[in-house]
């Protein structure tokens, strides 16, 4: 299965390769945005990406990003790979029921959560970074996932705070490229304890 992203000059990101032409403002980006996950600063410079997930169901997303929002404001390889796996194996979602409730933790640009929504899941995307959530909301709207009978929902959640009620009852939790420190790992474990229930699957 293939996953591709295309930016303004339409050079392609494919699979694990990180090669994408973007604006010359690349060098103005914070260096920390890419090396953590061996991702592309060139890709991070693009204000939006067209994401095509070629799987059991064809999924096309418009994903907005803004490096000035910090680490959560750009797309990372791990999120793209998780989204591609969902498209290739939608049974990971449907196995939880015909309308699985999916919670994405630390969604950032929400690529994985948006992919799950495009595959028919009931999705709640969370992040503590409100600017990233606004970008993700714009992506949902431009990907035609914000309206209708099953819109993607967005909730601000810092894992040190109580879990928002809308996040409860998830059958599937998506977690991609979330922690870089021991403290972050401990906070993630607390969030998982709060959000998981018997039978919940974490991807």
């Amino acid at each position: 299965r293939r996953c591709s992203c295309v930016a303004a000059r339409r050079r392609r990101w494919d699979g694990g390769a990180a090669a994408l032409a973007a604006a010359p403002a690349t060098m103005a980006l914070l260096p920390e945005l890419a090396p953590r996950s061996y991702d592309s600063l060139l890709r991070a410079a693009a204000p939006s990406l067209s994401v095509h997930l070629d799987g059991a169901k064809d999924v096309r997303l418009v994903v907005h990003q803004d490096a000035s929002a910090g680490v959560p404001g750009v797309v990372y390889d791990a999120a793209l790979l998780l989204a591609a796996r969902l498209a290739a194996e939608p049974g990971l979602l449907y196995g939880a029921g015909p309308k699985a409730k999916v919670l994405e933790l630390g969604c950032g640009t929400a690529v994985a959560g948006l992919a799950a929504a495009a595959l028919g899941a009931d999705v709640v995307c969370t992040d503590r970074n409100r600017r990233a959530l606004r970008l993700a909301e714009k992506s949902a709207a431009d990907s035609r996932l914000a309206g209708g009978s099953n819109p993607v929902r967005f909730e601000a959640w810092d894992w040190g705070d109580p879990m928002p009620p809308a996040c409860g009852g998830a059958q599937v939790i998506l977690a991609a490229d979330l922690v870089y420190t021991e403290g972050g790992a401990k906070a993630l474990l607390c969030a998982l304890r709060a959000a998981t229930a018997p039978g919940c699957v974490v991807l």
Side-chain angles (χ1 to χ4, degrees), residues 40-172:
S40 171
L41 281 171
L42 293 174
R43 188 177 72 216
S48 63
L49 301 171
S50 176
V51 178
H52 177 208
L53 306 172
D54 179 16
K57 179 179 178 182
D58 189 61
V59 174
R60 295 178 184 270
L61 305 171
V62 176
V63 181
H64 297 286
Q65 53 179 12
D66 182 353
S68 72
V71 171
V74 297
V75 174
Y76 284 85
D77 288 354
L80 290 167
L81 292 170
L82 178 54
R85 185 179 179 196
L86 294 176
E89 300 180 61
L92 293 169
L93 301 172
Y94 303 148
K99 200 70 169 179
K101 180 172 181 179
V102 174
L103 172 66
E104 184 173 13
L105 296 177
C107 69
T109 56
V111 174
L114 294 177
L119 292 166
D122 176 14
V123 179
V124 179
C125 295
T126 68
D127 203 288
R128 67 179 181 179
N129 187 309
R130 294 180 184 273
R131 287 185 63 190
L133 286 176
R134 288 195 294 270
L135 286 168
E137 288 175 336
K138 183 179 179 184
S139 298
D142 289 349
S143 300
R144 300 182 180 180
L145 298 170
S149 60
N150 187 41
V152 182
R153 292 169 287 164
F154 297 90
E155 292 281 343
W157 184 16
D158 185 317
W159 298 333
D161 297 333
M163 183 181 71
C167 298
Q171 296 155 295
V172 178

